């Protein structure tokens, strides 16, 4: 773990410093600017993901680049405000970012995702990286993947309802940016399991997908946020020390 | 369920028949032609996925198109035989297939995946479909997603080792195409959990990733295959009858 | 010629076998899924092309990969059932397939075409291959190009009318897949020579383009099919033994 | 036929004139800038094709746009001087040109090709036009396709040897631009039939492919050129008057 | 001018607020993450451009979206740290951003550029916007374009030397983010006029291009920054009130 | 300066001559085919740019390739006649042309532009060249950039009104191609300064943008044209002799 507990911001270094950075790993936060119901700002995914990334960097010393602010948000449909990239555009952006960082000596790439509809594009980016840069390794993961899930807090789990502008996201924003949360407009939307993956405007006219949103609170948000940071940091810290594998035959 | 228990093959219809097909759903099987160790043929993923798709079609009456034979297999690295599409190419193929089927009246699209590295591209395809065809719905799923996992058979689970040229795939191929399996060359590779998602040639020189491969048998393969078909068919059968959702506000 | 007269199916080999295949040539069948009138199934072009390719492989020992099932069929227009790729998509698919096979050691590429509207894309693919892989050679040809034409059978020639869902294709399908032919719905369409290359829906509401379709028969189909196989096999057999050329000046 | 026998040059009109042109057809000449042996300039294909196009325009009154000067010439290989477009680039250029002309009211498109390796790209362009502009019709043809071939002149035919920097092209250039022909460096290259379509630098170190080149003469070139113009003009003149087809069923 | 003098941050609004924003104009800041000599951080262009954009928004009430952080920086060459997009990637990003904002009702687009090598891509973006969204208007401009140039401050002008990691940028960063400036490593590079536009690594091994860099100071930076903000704000304020033009003939 | 004062036309050379050309620089003229008011032909930009390029070649001995006839003209809007490339298409064309010329040994590339809306695409092309061909240098410039502007002639300057189908262009065309100018239809359009960059059809129904067009004359056109040629030739002549830069540190 880093001794100073300050994040290593790639973009605040000079070029000679970037050439001498001790870690050959980097964290690439990927967010979104998209509708989050009537009570949350458009920037929820970018704000949370960037804050988690900075926290992880502070705990591990792995540098973090500025977030890819815009993501794949077309599946919200016709809400105002959303600024969406086509999947192909995000794939191109990540390819260029990875190629540049690789030219600077980076060999371990953590694509830290703050928006679930980015998953497909980031999986494609990981595939392309594996094929293109044979000396590198990659992992695309969501910042909430690394911890056991909200039920560890003793609360009931909300299935897919966990996903958007919900109790969890509202709580974390109340912790990180309470000035941007309009709790007086908070509302819930009873989530329903379905086979199909619908557009948001097909299933929720408010843009909210989750229960008990008005019960969100900063205390819960702080606990969840810190758990996200610490669990991800433990994984990343172990990852950058993970030995490079051998392909030698290992029969059982 | 279909009364006749025969699959509805889209490509065996004439054009007037295709214009009058009763279901507006379709199954799109997506496979791969790639190394599967020294004992399995290159076509494992396409064979199994196509057979599952035909079985599901027979049980549900949902038409199935010929498989997208080639998939995203670049992450195997330098084994001979693999024929891989770039992710962008698969995305383009699926886009064209979907646009054509939509022009023929299809409104429910099931992307049935037989190869895990296709996931990113198919997620991107689903995203593009949702945005492009507002009157349609889509689901990308693996044929093994729909059932509870091999542990229900009483066997221990093999973690990621489940994935490639392993006990499961070998058993299913012994059931479906025993003429193509060279059991005398079957070997195992002790799988290890890792943070990073490596290329196959970085972690297994044989191309196998899984334990107890030589214990594979047709009986187990038959049971697993039938479970895949039936569980997927139940989900698909329910899916095509799933009411289209309302977006009306439903507070808790 | 191969001693065993069985086709060499690339996808049924294991990867070590694919690395040791004796021929450095490969046949890439390219078909289509598109309307073929009220009496033929959508898969005519893929079925015939694949069967010819397998026959040629059996006679020559040159491996054949699974067919590129979908082709450039947009020029049919508004018939139901057709599943068409954009030309650019087929070009991308062939580029990926060729690059993969080249990485496996293939140096002679036969693009065997079963659908005339694929011609432009395959010519582009050949051009790209010639420029990209300087150690390779390529030929794009239709399976009917290699034989002198139907008139050798003593029948009159039907000009452009030869082309679609006609006497020839119906006969060959009656030989290969009689279960898929609905002869009771067979009809003809008097072909007319024209300067312009029209969409099919501009010139034939049935999707048929050819005369005497109801006279089609399996016997004729068998003779035509076998002639296609044998003539193409002779050409391929000579092609893989053709000496690599010299560019040395040879004035007359 | 036009009464004044002057070509109608699209680019010499003002915009109000272009909006009132009487023909809704246009000729799009497509050439190449590529090696033509030690005795011919790089611009042979563009020069001849443009001159044929102007001649056809003069005889028919169909407007002609400035030539697409550069073509798909990568298959020459490592000769100096060639300026080649990728096939995809030519396809994009033709798509833009066609879309612009369609917006100006053009509905009949003649892609007049002066370089055989452009064929694939122009076939793709024709396919895209047919699908994209449903009210239009298209034909891609070479300027030498419309006449019966050199053998009608009583000379022996040279098979594929007809193709590049040969007796025919040299003769036509001696007629059109004698100042650019270096007959003192003219040489022949004995053409050989082959199965494969090779790069030029694989088969001819001089870049010539044809016999009796030093026998080329302006008189023969003039006759051939005029035959190309007149035969193409007859076809074009009939084409623009060809009735639009009916798709009504016409059984035999 | 806005009464409250606070910037209107698009991403801090909720979606209902974004749907009711009073201005139909938006500012899109475009920066870069690239080497800026041994004394300035990689993020200079994004920091300054974003701060100017926020200042302009505060003075005019025109909303500003989060900066496009990464730009076209490949022409620096082999310095560490730079994270560059290909021009095509930036064009795709801006196209998606503009299409999203247009769907939210925006009709006036100000592409505010903080990095000169973005110019070509942004000009292309403006061209594409003009053609694609016929009801909109666009302007791509640098934040330093709107004011008369540094000479108004009484200092001599430094020609092209004005451009990179120079007296001007260093001074502005000393004003905005003094914590990120390493003045002890500041150095100059005597700029030379040239016909050609070189890569940075061809002309300056330090990555600096400008004189008197060590004389940079926060006071000058503050004056320059404020002048950039105010001059740009005046132009923007007038622009959003500029009447939509008439195309009626106005002869002199 | 060239002793013979004749342009060096790349396309009139044979390939052995192109391989031995003494200059490693080349001029790439880029024009447009687009509306130029009711009195000028569509080809103004290509004609003038090509003539300037030929004049510069004659004075400097730098070879010139045939013009890229079509440019980025979509921003004119709905006038008939214009044949426009998408910006991406022009970028692809220039990339291919540059790659081909580089393979022929060219290392200095002058993109000589005759149409202002090509600027963005050519700047992108220059950026791509700098990154892709590290041993080369490039400059994109307009043929009117190199000289001090029309005011040196003693006439008043017309601001942006200088730009399209105006006094300047009309005069130059009266000098170069008087047969194509319809002075009886010449009209002016009072130009107005604006913040936004509008489409032409938004600001001028005639397609003219400039004053005193009917005063245009061949004498003025000849003087302007010759000044363009000579000033550009001086710059080019110096440019090809400009020493390659050193990146060594040069502090002030």
């Amino acid at each position: 773990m880093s001794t100073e507990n300050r994040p290593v911001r790639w973009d605040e270094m000079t070029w000679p410093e970037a050439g001498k950075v001790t870690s050959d790993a980097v964290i690439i936060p990927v967010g979104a600017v998209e509708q989050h119901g009537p009570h949350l700002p458009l920037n929820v995914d970018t704000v949370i993901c960037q804050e988690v990334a900075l926290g992880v960097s502070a705990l591990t010393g792995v540098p973090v680049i500025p977030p890819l602010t815009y993501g794949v948000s077309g599946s919200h449909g016709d809400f105002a405000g959303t600024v969406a990239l086509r999947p192909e555009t995000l794939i191109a952006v990540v390819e260029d970012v990875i190629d540049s960082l690789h030219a600077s000596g980076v060999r371990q790439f953590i694509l830290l995702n703050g928006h679930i509809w980015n998953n497909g594009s980031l999986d494609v980016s990981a595939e392309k990286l594996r094929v293109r840069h044979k000396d590198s390794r990659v992992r695309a993961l969501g910042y909430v993947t690394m911890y056991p899930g909200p039920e560890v807090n003793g609360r009931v789990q909300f299935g897919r309802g966990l996903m958007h502008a919900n109790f969890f996201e509202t709580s974390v924003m109340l912790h990180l940016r309470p000035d941007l949360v309009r709790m007086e407009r908070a509302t819930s939307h009873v989530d329903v399991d379905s086979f199909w993956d619908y557009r948001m405007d097909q299933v929720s006219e408010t843009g909210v997908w989750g229960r008990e949103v008005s019960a969100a609170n900063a205390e819960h948000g702080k606990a969840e946020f810190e758990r996200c940071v610490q669990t991800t940091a433990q994984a990343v810290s172990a990852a950058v020390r993970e030995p490079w594998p051998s392909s030698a035959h290992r029969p059982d």
Side-chain angles (χ1 to χ4, degrees), chain A residues 10-219:
Chain A
W10 182 274
D11 62 318
E12 296 192 348
M13 294 190 281
T14 63
W15 74 259
E17 290 165 353
K20 287 180 291 189
V21 67
T22 55
S23 171
D24 72 343
V26 76
I27 300 168
I28 303 173
V30 190
V33 174
E34 62 176 37
Q35 75 80 17
H36 271 78
H39 67 296
L40 288 178
L42 301 167
N43 63 13
V44 165
D45 292 344
T46 297
V47 164
I48 301 180
C49 187
Q50 181 175 22
E51 291 301 322
V52 171
L54 292 171
V56 171
S57 177
L59 289 174
T60 62
V62 175
V64 58
I65 68 167
L68 308 188
T69 306
Y70 302 97
V72 178
S73 304
S75 282
H76 278 291
D78 291 332
F79 296 94
T82 299
V83 181
L85 302 187
R86 285 166 292 176
E88 296 90 333
T89 303
L90 182 57
I91 292 168
V93 169
V94 178
E95 182 172 355
D96 292 357
V97 167
I98 282 174
D99 283 356
S100 292
L101 292 169
H102 188 269
S104 282
V106 176
R107 294 295 178 269
Q108 306 185 78
F109 296 85
I110 298 162
L111 297 163
L112 189 67
N113 187 14
H115 168 53
I116 198 168
W117 279 328
N118 290 336
N119 278 0
S121 296
L122 297 182
D123 284 350
V124 167
S125 296
E127 161 74 18
K128 289 169 68 79
L129 168 63
R130 270 193 300 267
V131 171
R132 191 175 170 94
H133 296 298
K134 297 224 157 189
D135 57 353
S136 299
R137 54 191 190 185
V138 63
R139 178 74 184 270
L141 76 165
Y143 69 79
V144 294
T145 303
M146 284 289 106
Y147 82 114
E151 79 280 8
V152 302
N153 202 24
R155 297 189 62 87
V156 296
Q157 186 173 357
F158 294 134
R160 291 195 176 187
L162 181 70
M163 285 189 199
H164 198 72
N166 61 354
F167 177 81
F168 169 81
E169 286 189 337
T170 307
S171 295
V172 175
M173 286 302 284
L174 283 169
H175 167 56
L176 293 175
R177 292 295 306 273
D179 57 315
L180 298 181
V181 184
R182 287 76 160 166
M183 279 307 287
E184 73 280 9
R185 302 186 206 143
T187 188
S188 295
H189 188 80
V190 176
D191 51 307
V192 183
D193 268 342
S194 66
F195 175 84
W196 303 99
D197 285 328
Y198 292 103
R199 280 198 316 282
M200 183 60 77
D201 64 355
Q202 291 176 318
V203 294
S204 171
E205 66 184 342
T206 61
V208 173
W209 191 252
R211 298 168 193 253
E212 299 183 30
V213 174
S214 59
N217 60 88
E219 185 184 12

